[in-house]
Amino acid sequence: MLEWVLAGLLCIVTYVVFTLSTSSGSQYEDKSIDAFISKDSSVAKRPAPRENKYKRNYITDGRQILLLYGTEYGFSEEVATKLFDRLGEESVLNGMLWQPRLVNVKYYSHIRWTEEQLCLLVISTSGDGVPPTDALPFYQMLMNSGETLSHIRYAVLALGDSNYPHFCKTGLSLDKRLGELSAVRLLDCQTIDMEDWPVISDWMNRVVGAVSEADLAVKTDYLVVNSLGNNEGHTRTNPFLSRLLVKKPLTVVDNDEDKVTIQCEFDITGSGLTWTAGDALGVYPQNNQSQVEGILQALGYTGQEGVETDQRPWGHTDRVLTCKEMLLRYLDIKHVKPELLELILSHSSCDDQRQQLRDLLHTQVPSGVREYLSVREVLDVVEEFKVRPLPVDRFLSHLKPLQPRYYSISSSPQINSNTVCVTAAVVRYSTLGRDREGVTTCYLQDRLLPGDQCPVFISKNPDFRLPSNTKTPLILIGPGTGIAPFRAFLQERALLSEEDRGQILLYFGCRHKNKDFLYRDELENLAEKSVICLRPAFSRDQEEKIYVQHLLLQDGSLIWNLVNKEEAAVYICGDAKHMARDVHKVLLQIIVMQGRTTQDEAELLLKGLETQGRYQKDVWVT
């Protein structure tokens, strides 16, 4: 009995030491000193808002762990914060004195590599196999480094999407490079297809086990984490509240099959935001209020329950918000994490429901739960499993953060640097007999009115840029909303004299000439002025479907001549899964036919053009 008492006291003392060893106050939501005291206090008061636990500075000696993440859309950061929490919990439970420091790789210059001993890297691959924009300097530094890192142990979690041809390329490349620099691999690089949380959780378990066995020295930390990124202006984590100036339809809709596409113009005057043609605008939406009300009703919440968050949400001066506001503005109610099912299982008293959830979660086929969740949203799940009461703070903590959506900017700052235009196709569909909507596109179309404020920021895209030589011929291929960045390109080229402007071929595809020919008047006007050679493809205006790749084949001789003799630059924008792959195949076919080369030689030629910046892609998976 005495042994159990001593063990319990040791755990408490270890936790208190770990908590007080930092200058950022308490660390864990359910394990803070305030929460620990208040659990058994009948007069407990709401604790004061805490500092950001992820910007932790250690003032006592410990075993430092460098936890780096590189992200474009926020998922790598979400995974890294989960790993941070897990390492902290394990340290408290086992008295390991671990000191994880969470750092975005864009701050790599603050890291003293000679003083590090263990690095865990979570990084995604963006678009067509490139690092996240903010991670590019770090990636280039490591690839060009000659520094020996034999004193560092490391593990890489590579996030990606197998729909793209260069799946997890960034993480795999960095894992290989760290090995080449003599760093010691703690675990083999783990690739993750989209948001496969079971595999991520398994990797975290293996990381914790491997770190537990690593002989880390107890040292004084040098890294001041909470000073990083304090003066960056408006970014993904600190968006600018722009004002919607104009919203106008770009398509004609006669029936349910017709696509709705809109142009939105945002005023960013006074924001300090700047962009280059080819960049994207990040837009934070609000969720559909009727869906939020449905969730509240299903769970028996009033919506006014006060919830304390770990980080101060943009637009707020404190960290206590209502449950309804969290669901409306800051949490993802579209995508369901398996952890939410685990939470419901732990609170369900219905035997049938518990068995159904166990079958889903503990099946030997991981795709089972993924398939179940792929057609369901949070509202579907809480209505299917009517479990009450679910603690409101625990429920919210099992939802994903609401991420911004990114839209290629369809206007040039050379025309108006205070107004940013985006072109968005409104997404609506049905699953399980229920109407669904794209979170951001339907927010823009249905709920955001001219004059309303909307949080935005600029997402740089340095790998999608016009050539510095304005006389370089351009081959632009952008069906549908893929026309967006090309509109910005053309606005800039149209400002030049004919002598200073190279030849421009624009391939644009849509269904119907009279319904969804985006920016038709502008493009036809540019064609009349000989700024561009316009090659539109209308797939549904005749019995046989015609796509941009058919026109490319027809123009094979011209395209080959421009690429081979005139050093033209080729740009593709649009769907990565189908269109971009089909166009790539057609370009290879043109090179083989017109250049009289083999398939392998054609592949090498396109790779060479890509290296030279003459073959650029801005693609996404719908």
Side-chain angles (χ1 to χ4, degrees):
M1 185 67 176
L2 180 60
E3 292 178 352
W4 286 103
V5 172
L6 290 174
L9 286 172
L10 177 61
C11 286
I12 294 173
V13 170
T14 301
Y15 175 73
V16 171
V17 168
F18 182 81
T19 300
L20 297 180
S21 69
T22 77
S23 60
S24 298
S26 59
Q27 184 183 18
Y28 302 108
E29 179 173 299
D30 295 323
K31 300 180 181 178
S32 68
I33 292 296
D34 290 330
F36 181 80
I37 294 173
S38 67
K39 282 179 181 176
D40 298 316
S41 173
S42 60
V43 294
K45 297 179 181 180
R46 177 183 291 167
R50 296 165 294 175
E51 294 300 317
N52 184 345
K53 70 177 182 179
Y54 300 112
K55 291 190 173 183
R56 176 175 291 279
N57 296 323
Y58 299 94
I59 58 176
T60 61
D61 291 353
R63 298 180 173 91
Q64 288 84 44
I65 300 172
L66 182 60
L67 180 47
L68 295 175
Y69 68 90
T71 189
E72 191 73 64
Y73 304 120
F75 185 57
S76 296
E77 181 179 14
E78 180 184 350
V79 173
T81 58
K82 294 286 186 186
L83 181 56
F84 179 99
D85 290 341
R86 179 70 188 281
L87 290 169
E89 290 166 358
E90 292 290 336
S91 179
V92 168
L93 290 173
N94 299 307
M96 303 298 291
L97 294 182
W98 288 342
Q99 294 182 344
R101 298 104 88 235
L102 187 67
V103 180
N104 189 321
V105 294
K106 66 182 177 180
Y107 305 122
Y108 76 91
S109 62
H110 296 265
I111 297 169
R112 301 176 194 167
W113 295 101
T114 56
E115 299 190 33
E116 295 297 336
Q117 48 188 335
L118 194 149
C119 176
L120 305 174
L121 174 61
V122 180
I123 194 163
S124 62
T125 295
S126 296
D128 196 40
V130 299
T133 304
D134 285 342
L136 185 58
F138 167 76
Y139 181 88
Q140 292 172 336
M141 178 278 296
L142 202 61
M143 288 301 172
N144 296 318
S145 174
E147 186 175 2
T148 299
L149 302 178
S150 56
H151 59 288
I152 293 180
R153 277 158 283 195
Y154 75 96
V156 177
L157 185 70
L159 307 179
D161 185 335
S162 59
N163 287 304
Y164 291 92
H166 301 294
F167 175 58
C168 290
K169 179 181 177 182
T170 299
L172 291 167
S173 298
L174 289 174
D175 175 78
K176 179 181 178 183
R177 184 57 183 159
L178 285 166
E180 292 171 347
L181 295 175
S182 300
V184 180
R185 190 176 281 109
L186 200 66
L187 295 171
D188 288 339
C189 181
Q190 176 67 62
T191 58
I192 301 295
D193 189 8
M194 295 186 282
E195 299 187 8
D196 195 340
W197 278 105
V199 179
I200 293 171
S201 297
D202 176 70
W203 179 80
M204 288 187 184
N205 291 335
R206 290 187 287 119
V207 163
V208 170
V211 174
S212 299
E213 296 177 1
D215 184 18
L216 301 180
V218 176
K219 302 166 60 178
T220 301
D221 190 20
Y222 69 90
L223 190 58
V224 182
V225 176
N226 67 9
S227 67
L228 302 180
N230 288 340
N231 300 302
E232 289 190 305
H234 294 291
T235 63
R236 181 174 60 86
T237 56
N238 181 33
F240 175 72
L241 283 178
S242 68
R243 184 167 58 90
L244 180 65
L245 295 174
V246 175
K247 177 171 62 177
K248 62 182 180 182
L250 298 176
T251 53
V252 176
V253 178
D254 292 329
N255 55 63
D256 292 340
E257 293 186 359
D258 291 335
K259 292 185 176 182
V260 176
T261 302
I262 58 175
Q263 175 175 303
C264 293
E265 301 177 13
F266 295 96
D267 181 8
I268 59 169
T269 302
S271 66
L273 294 172
T274 60
W275 82 96
T276 302
D279 287 340
L281 186 73
V283 178
Y284 275 101
Q286 287 187 21
N287 288 314
N288 189 318
Q289 184 156 332
S290 65
Q291 294 177 11
V292 170
E293 295 290 353
I295 293 171
L296 295 174
Q297 182 177 357
L299 292 173
Y301 300 153
T302 66
Q304 299 307 307
E305 294 84 354
V307 180
E308 185 179 358
T309 64
D310 288 318
Q311 301 183 57
R312 183 181 291 112
W314 47 263
H316 282 268
T317 57
D318 58 43
R319 297 192 183 93
V320 179
L321 289 81
T322 66
C323 171
K324 182 175 181 179
E325 188 168 16
M326 289 291 291
L327 290 171
L328 191 65
R329 298 182 63 185
Y330 299 111
L331 295 173
D332 185 344
I333 62 174
K334 189 172 186 66
H335 303 100
V336 186
K337 294 167 61 176
E339 285 89 338
L340 179 58
L341 299 182
E342 294 276 10
L343 177 67
I344 293 173
L345 172 61
S346 69
H347 284 76
S348 176
S349 59
C350 173
D351 290 340
D352 289 342
Q353 282 190 356
R354 291 175 61 83
Q355 187 58 51
Q356 181 184 352
L357 288 165
R358 278 194 293 264
D359 290 343
L360 271 174
L361 291 165
H362 303 142
T363 178
Q364 297 300 311
V365 184
S367 60
V369 68
R370 288 202 300 270
E371 290 176 3
Y372 173 84
L373 295 179
S374 67
V375 293
R376 287 170 173 80
E377 300 177 3
V378 172
L379 179 58
D380 298 299
V381 173
V382 296
E383 285 185 341
E384 182 175 355
F385 302 101
K386 289 184 169 59
V387 177
R388 297 185 184 183
L390 277 182
V392 63
D393 56 340
R394 294 204 64 199
F395 167 67
L396 296 180
S397 71
H398 284 69
L399 302 184
K400 290 170 53 64
L402 182 60
Q403 300 293 351
R405 270 51 167 188
Y406 294 76
Y407 299 93
S408 297
I409 297 175
S410 52
S411 60
S412 167
Q414 294 183 20
I415 301 299
N416 186 341
S417 62
N418 289 321
T419 301
V420 183
C421 298
V422 298
T423 305
V426 180
V427 177
R428 301 187 197 276
Y429 60 100
S430 298
T431 61
L432 303 178
R434 173 173 276 175
D435 291 337
R436 312 289 182 178
E437 61 180 42
V439 177
T440 306
T441 58
C442 287
Y443 165 67
L444 295 175
Q445 169 71 347
D446 299 342
R447 301 187 289 280
L448 189 69
L449 301 176
D452 289 349
Q453 289 186 316
C454 179
V456 303
F457 60 95
I458 299 296
S459 176
K460 299 293 184 180
N461 189 7
D463 294 304
F464 202 71
R465 291 285 186 262
L466 281 169
S468 56
N469 183 356
T470 61
K471 294 183 179 181
T472 300
L474 307 177
I475 301 171
L476 311 178
I477 307 163
T481 54
I483 191 65
F486 298 149
R487 180 175 184 252
F489 284 3
L490 296 176
Q491 286 180 349
E492 297 191 359
R493 284 297 188 256
L495 296 175
L496 302 172
S497 65
E498 187 175 350
E499 294 76 19
D500 293 329
R501 184 179 61 237
Q503 183 176 354
I504 303 174
L505 291 181
L506 173 63
Y507 293 87
F508 171 77
C510 63
R511 293 182 176 182
H512 302 284
K513 181 177 182 178
N514 294 324
K515 286 188 175 184
D516 52 354
F517 189 171
L518 306 184
Y519 302 111
R520 176 180 177 178
D521 291 343
E522 291 182 27
L523 297 178
E524 290 182 340
N525 184 48
L526 290 173
E528 289 176 6
K529 294 179 178 178
S530 300
V531 174
I532 62 173
C533 174
L534 180 58
R535 297 287 281 136
F538 309 111
S539 62
R540 309 293 175 86
D541 279 350
Q542 61 285 314
E543 186 174 345
E544 184 178 354
K545 293 181 180 178
I546 299 175
Y547 298 110
V548 291
Q549 51 265 38
H550 296 125
L551 300 186
L552 290 167
L553 276 177
Q554 290 177 19
D555 298 344
S557 176
L558 172 61
I559 289 172
W560 172 247
N561 183 68
L562 287 173
V563 171
N564 187 48
K565 295 183 179 180
E566 304 296 328
E567 298 187 342
V570 181
Y571 296 81
I572 300 174
C573 184
D575 170 52
K577 193 172 182 179
H578 302 291
M579 182 278 296
R581 289 186 177 184
D582 291 342
V583 168
H584 183 82
K585 290 178 182 178
V586 166
L587 292 174
L588 288 173
Q589 189 176 347
I590 290 171
I591 294 170
V592 169
M593 293 172 58
Q594 300 295 329
R596 292 180 172 81
T597 67
T598 65
Q599 185 76 12
D600 289 343
E601 289 171 335
E603 288 277 9
L604 286 174
L605 191 148
L606 277 185
K607 286 182 180 178
L609 293 180
E610 194 168 1
T611 301
Q612 299 167 35
R614 291 176 53 203
Y615 183 33
Q616 300 183 29
K617 288 178 264 186
D618 181 9
V619 294
W620 59 84
V621 175
T622 54

